[in-house]
Amino acid sequence: MTDRDMETDHLPENTGGAGHGAVTTVAEDPFQDPGLPAHRPRVTDLDPRAAKRAERQVALLFMIAVVGVIGSMVCYTFVPNTKVHRFTGLGTVNMNNLALGLCLGFAFLALGCGAIHWARTLMTDVDLVQERHPMKSDPESTAFAVSEFKQGVADSGFTKYPLIRRSLLTAMMVLPLPAVWLLRDLGPMPKDALRHTLWAPGMKLVNPNTGQPLRVSDVTVGTLALANPANLNDDPDERIDNLAKAAVLVVRLPQEALKGSEAQKKKQWDWSVDGVMAFSKICTHVGCPVALYEQQTHHMLCPCHQSTFDLSDDGKVIFGPAARSLPQLPITVDADGNLVAVSDFREPVGPSFWERG
């Protein structure tokens, strides 16, 4: 057989007369559609007792979700948000957060498991094929969607199994309650709590690392010290909130380094002791702790959003989004040479708030 004869053996056969207009037969698709496997009924499709048992199991999971949601509200109310516990491998954990997370986690887990178990054991178990069609909001499509929804409700057994329906609706009704319960944090109104700190006349400035009172000699020009009020630990439950308002930075500036108007210079110097000054550690932008001190320029930088305060110019903002100067704490010395507060801050510390005025 010649090469030409071999080539003609692979040419498609003509179904019509010869010539360019002849129609050829297309080779059969080698990839056959395997189709869908034969449907195998589930135990719950054949045994009514198994179906009833599955219904009770789904309802139990939904009721566990209800218990978890209610438990989260109980934990939020009765577990103090200051209670902590140290776990091996996890470190210190806030017990209020842990209890809330476990309760809500079990609630959502039970709700999801119930929905999956419902779908796998009781909903209609058939394979459906839906052809693609243009996405048009015409009356026919709307009517089809409504009929499909009704068919889906019927297939799911939502109306057939009242126990599942009632337990699911109960779980869905209580699910938003934690969000409403958390709204209790919006009240009562703080009144004047944001305007006052632990600082009071005669309150000592204490080094938070050593617990010892600060003295003028402890602060030299160019250094930065941290200080807390001496009674910070008197109320352990409120310690974090009190520290968030009362923490101060202590620096020492020579009088010739002060800027601003004569009134500002006089106020800064009168509120200090031999150039030792105390400023709030809380940024007036969003409340981050400021602690990056530039010795040569006397600038204090907030690491969060780069607000920069000039401590030599009454804590004035020279850069960044902060809108107010760092409040200065009036200080003096007692008979023992310890730095003490003359009074509380003369203005609210930290970020601005609506009632600040």
Side-chain angles (χ1 to χ4, degrees):
M1 180 182 292
T2 64
D3 292 341
R4 182 177 180 83
D5 293 334
M6 295 178 63
E7 291 176 0
T8 56
D9 284 345
H10 294 282
L11 294 176
E13 297 180 359
N14 292 339
T15 58
H20 295 287
V23 179
T24 60
T25 301
V26 179
E28 185 178 358
D29 187 355
F31 301 102
Q32 297 294 330
D33 184 357
L36 297 175
H39 178 262
R40 298 177 58 184
R42 302 165 299 187
V43 176
T44 52
D45 296 331
L46 304 175
D47 186 356
R49 290 181 301 178
K52 199 66 178 178
R53 185 166 57 251
E55 180 184 5
R56 290 194 297 267
Q57 292 169 349
V58 173
L60 176 62
L61 288 169
F62 287 158
M63 295 312 297
I64 291 176
V66 173
V67 173
V69 170
I70 296 176
S72 70
M73 293 186 289
V74 172
C75 293
Y76 179 80
T77 305
F78 295 104
V79 179
N81 59 7
T82 56
K83 183 177 179 60
V84 296
H85 184 77
R86 186 171 185 83
F87 293 94
T88 303
L90 295 178
T92 302
V93 177
N94 185 291
M95 296 305 295
N96 183 277
N97 292 341
L98 179 62
L100 280 177
L102 289 176
C103 289
L104 288 177
F106 276 116
F108 282 106
L109 178 63
L111 195 61
C113 290
I116 294 173
H117 192 46
W118 180 13
R120 293 180 64 87
T121 58
L122 296 174
M123 290 187 183
T124 301
D125 182 30
V126 295
D127 295 310
L128 300 175
V129 178
Q130 183 178 13
E131 301 293 338
R132 289 181 176 270
H133 58 84
M135 301 299 292
K136 298 172 62 177
S137 300
D138 51 58
E140 292 78 7
S141 298
T142 302
F144 176 75
V146 171
S147 64
E148 285 289 294
F149 175 77
K150 293 180 178 179
Q151 184 62 41
V153 172
D155 291 342
S156 68
F158 189 76
T159 57
K160 181 180 179 181
Y161 303 105
L163 183 58
I164 289 181
R165 181 175 68 252
R166 293 165 188 165
S167 59
L168 174 62
L169 292 177
T170 302
M172 297 301 293
M173 287 174 60
V174 302
L175 193 60
L177 288 182
V180 178
W181 201 261
L182 295 179
L183 291 178
R184 68 192 295 267
D185 263 358
L186 296 179
M189 294 296 292
K191 297 181 180 180
D192 63 344
L194 298 178
R195 299 179 179 275
H196 302 288
T197 69
L198 292 180
W199 294 111
M203 180 63 64
K204 294 180 181 179
L205 279 70
V206 174
N207 186 319
N209 298 319
T210 64
Q212 299 299 315
L214 279 177
R215 305 173 66 88
V216 175
S217 57
D218 295 333
V219 186
T220 59
V221 175
T223 61
L224 173 69
L226 305 181
N228 296 331
N231 63 346
L232 177 64
N233 296 321
D234 289 355
D235 188 354
D237 292 339
E238 298 295 329
R239 182 182 184 280
I240 299 300
D241 290 339
N242 290 330
L243 179 62
K245 295 187 296 181
V248 295
L249 302 164
V250 183
V251 296
R252 190 166 192 168
L253 305 178
Q255 186 171 11
E256 59 271 15
L258 299 183
K259 305 174 186 176
S261 65
E262 292 301 322
Q264 289 177 324
K265 293 179 181 179
K266 185 176 186 306
K267 186 208 77 169
Q268 271 196 272
W269 195 254
D270 290 344
W271 286 10
S272 66
V273 180
D274 293 336
V276 177
M277 304 176 184
F279 291 88
S280 172
K281 194 177 189 296
I282 312 304
C283 180
T284 57
H285 177 217
V286 292
C288 297
V290 296
L292 302 178
Y293 182 53
E294 296 179 357
Q295 179 181 2
Q296 301 299 322
T297 61
H298 312 300
H299 292 170
M300 185 66 67
L301 178 69
C302 175
C304 293
H305 305 98
Q306 287 71 56
S307 292
T308 306
F309 306 88
D310 189 351
L311 301 188
S312 64
D313 193 3
D314 200 23
K316 179 181 178 181
V317 181
I318 61 173
F319 181 80
R324 296 185 294 112
S325 302
L326 276 181
Q328 183 178 353
L329 178 70
I331 59 175
T332 185
V333 292
D334 60 11
D336 298 326
N338 300 318
L339 292 172
V340 297
V342 175
S343 66
D344 197 356
F345 287 99
R346 305 293 173 84
E347 59 179 316
V349 301
S352 299
F353 49 94
W354 288 109
E355 298 83 3
R356 183 178 183 274

